Amino acid sequence: MINKGRFFRAAAIALSLVMFPLSLCAQEEEEGEKEVYHYEMKEVVIPAKKRPQQPDSSRLKSIEEKDDSKSGDEYIKKCSDTFKYGLEEEISALIDELTENEDVRFVDPIYDLFYKSKNTQVKKKILSYFTKLKDPCLEEYAVSVLNDPYDEKKDTVDACFQYVSEIKCTAALPCLVKLIDKEEEQYFTMALSTLGDIGTAEEAQFLISFLERDDLTTPQKQQLMKVLGKIKAVETFDRLAEIAQDTDENSFVRMYAAEAIGAMKVAEAEDILIDLFESDDPNFRVYVVKGISNFEDEKADELLLQALRDSQWKVRLEAINTVGERQLSSAAPFLIYRCKDSKEEKNVKKKAYSVLAKLNTSEGNEYLVSVIKDEKAADATKGTVAAALLEYNNAGTKEIIELAEKTLEKDTMKNLRYTLGKEFAKYGRPEYEDICSKYLDSKDVATQGTGLDIFAKGKYSSCRSKVEEIAKEEDSTGDSKKPVKKNANQAKAKKILERLNSYQSSSGEVEK
């Protein structure tokens, strides 16, 4: 006997299958034909093995000058012995140190160790080392892992994502597309992010299909907006512009879409962003500013000036960053006003001082110098302004040196004295020679130590005798039972002189 319920359900399913294509046809007739982008999946080609890039002499010299404790044959031998005979934890610690310093003197032994070591932690450290150096010597390994990551630890796979991103490894693109296409949650986000760093318009075409899907999670949509903005895929402009303007969409998805359409530099995006700046959401306005930063015309400039007056400090800070990047000199009066506002956020003020110094306008320079000379201004503020002025070196050097001399006379201004000294030590300019001498004359150990830092950078011939004096041991107190007192800066002065002698010897420089 026939089950009537089952029969009618089957008939209904059959009818729906017949009608479904017809409904699609009707829909296409109503909407018209849409342009369809096709991405052809490519075969993964594993790159051949290659040796590390060999550093040039200038880079080697800069490494040795950066830290005198890590120069010389003794340090080289210590590192070499560690690679040959050290425990795994000793090798890991050394690689961390070399990575932090971007020390390229050991690229060959580290590379050889990578393929010899069976310790996954050591291999990951080495991968991080070559990531920091942006050396493509481990392309073969990284692409192989991303092509088949399933038996690897997640942190190893993540390190490979970061590596191919830093070295711009286009050989990894087919691997990334494949991982995204499989939609495996553990790799999807990292693969998508990496594709944003190294992908092209061709890969963007592959991503277009994801925009129309209903099963994407909100985090995935956010990431997709970021990636399309990085790739600057103009093929997706219309859809992203629609998302940016959709008030029903997730706010973060809209933010990234707004930034993305700006990055594409499509003319239509500018007017859209200007309208979107009226949003009540301050976080959204921040990303509108990020988007408008890609346009350089009167309309974009006007929006940036308005953003400098925004009620939310995050918007003001983003606007100041963009003003600095754009060298928008018309913003100088707005920045001065922000600096003078006693209620302004500290990080906004700090950035405003820096951008004012960078803009190098007469009005801005005059204001910054006035802060240095203002006896009522706080020492912390003076230190921040001095750092900005010395970084760009457009104005204020004379006044800052005079201020430093004043701090040497007053112990109540020690903190400002140290701050200014550290700034002098960054640049080693000829005009710092006299102030270096005065720092070295100080009886305060920390001040004298700062003077040594200034000398180490500037190599001032007139100050050398003072450094040599510091390097000598002090005389005994005369009491044989008491230990000989030594200057706390003695060892530091000795190392600086040794490094200076080595530098002069290798460069053929003769001291006058």
Side-chain angles (χ1 to χ4, degrees), residues 295-358:
F295 296 90
E296 297 188 23
D297 56 30
E298 188 175 341
K299 290 193 294 185
D301 291 351
E302 179 59 29
L303 187 143
L304 287 175
L305 295 180
Q306 291 304 315
L308 291 173
R309 305 165 60 190
D310 196 274
S311 58
Q312 170 55 243
W313 68 268
K314 292 180 181 179
V315 181
R316 299 196 297 274
L317 182 61
E318 187 60 39
I320 293 172
N321 283 325
T322 303
V323 163
E325 293 169 1
R326 290 268 303 280
Q327 288 285 96
L328 187 60
S329 58
S330 60
F334 292 82
L335 297 179
I336 293 172
Y337 189 92
R338 297 264 61 82
C339 293
K340 289 181 177 180
D341 186 355
S342 60
K343 297 180 181 179
E344 184 56 275
E345 296 286 332
K346 287 183 179 180
N347 54 349
V348 174
K349 274 191 175 186
K350 183 177 181 180
K351 189 63 183 180
Y353 290 136
S354 177
V355 172
L356 263 181
K358 183 179 181 181

Side-chain angles (χ1 to χ4, degrees), residues 336 339-340 353 356 362-378 381-382 385 389 395-396 399-400 403:
I336 293 172
C339 293
K340 289 181 177 180
Y353 290 136
L356 263 181
S362 57
E363 183 180 10
N365 290 341
E366 183 179 345
Y367 167 72
L368 293 175
V369 171
S370 72
V371 174
I372 296 296
K373 297 169 69 175
D374 185 1
E375 293 185 0
K376 295 182 180 179
T381 300
K382 290 182 179 181
V385 172
L389 286 169
E399 290 79 5
I400 294 170
L403 177 61

Side-chain angles (χ1 to χ4, degrees), residues 9-146:
R9 283 197 298 272
I13 291 172
L15 182 61
S16 68
L17 291 174
V18 172
M19 296 301 295
F20 181 65
L22 296 177
S23 65
L24 283 180
C25 292
Q27 185 178 350
E28 286 180 2
E29 286 179 3
E30 289 178 6
E31 297 180 358
E33 291 186 4
K34 292 184 179 180
E35 187 175 3
V36 179
Y37 297 96
H38 297 286
Y39 180 84
E40 183 179 349
M41 291 288 184
K42 298 175 184 175
E43 182 182 353
V44 177
V45 178
I46 307 297
K49 284 187 178 182
K50 65 187 78 172
R51 299 291 302 178
Q53 297 172 342
Q54 296 304 303
D56 56 35
S57 57
S58 61
R59 189 168 186 182
L60 291 172
K61 182 178 289 187
S62 67
I63 293 168
E64 293 177 352
E65 290 181 348
K66 186 186 296 186
D67 188 342
D68 52 16
S69 68
K70 294 176 175 56
S71 61
D73 294 339
E74 184 178 344
Y75 181 75
I76 299 290
K77 186 177 186 307
K78 175 187 174 185
C79 292
S80 298
D81 287 347
T82 300
F83 286 130
K84 289 178 183 177
Y85 317 116
L87 301 176
E88 289 168 348
E89 54 265 32
E90 293 173 333
I91 294 173
S92 292
L94 176 57
I95 295 173
D96 283 342
E97 179 183 300
L98 299 175
T99 301
E100 182 180 354
N101 297 326
E102 296 186 45
D103 194 328
V104 295
R105 292 175 292 181
F106 307 94
V107 290
D108 284 321
I110 291 177
Y111 175 84
D112 292 334
L113 180 63
F114 182 83
Y115 284 103
K116 290 178 182 178
S117 177
K118 302 300 180 184
N119 184 282
T120 56
Q121 191 65 19
V122 169
K123 291 174 77 75
K124 198 177 77 170
K125 298 273 188 182
I126 294 175
L127 187 60
S128 297
Y129 171 75
F130 285 114
T131 299
K132 184 78 174 286
L133 298 182
K134 294 181 172 59
D135 192 317
C137 63
L138 295 180
E139 261 188 324
E140 178 265 342
Y141 170 80
V143 175
S144 297
V145 169
L146 295 180

Side-chain angles (χ1 to χ4, degrees), residues 433-477:
E433 187 163 4
D434 287 343
I435 193 66
C436 174
S437 178
K438 292 176 181 178
Y439 268 77
L440 291 172
D441 285 339
S442 176
K443 300 301 181 183
D444 176 63
V445 173
T447 301
Q448 190 182 75
T450 304
L452 289 173
D453 292 333
I454 302 171
F455 171 80
K457 187 68 175 179
K459 303 178 178 67
Y460 306 116
S461 57
S462 65
C463 298
R464 178 158 185 156
S465 60
K466 294 184 179 183
V467 176
E468 290 173 341
E469 187 64 29
I470 295 171
K472 296 178 181 178
E473 290 186 0
E474 290 185 1
D475 293 332
S476 167
T477 59

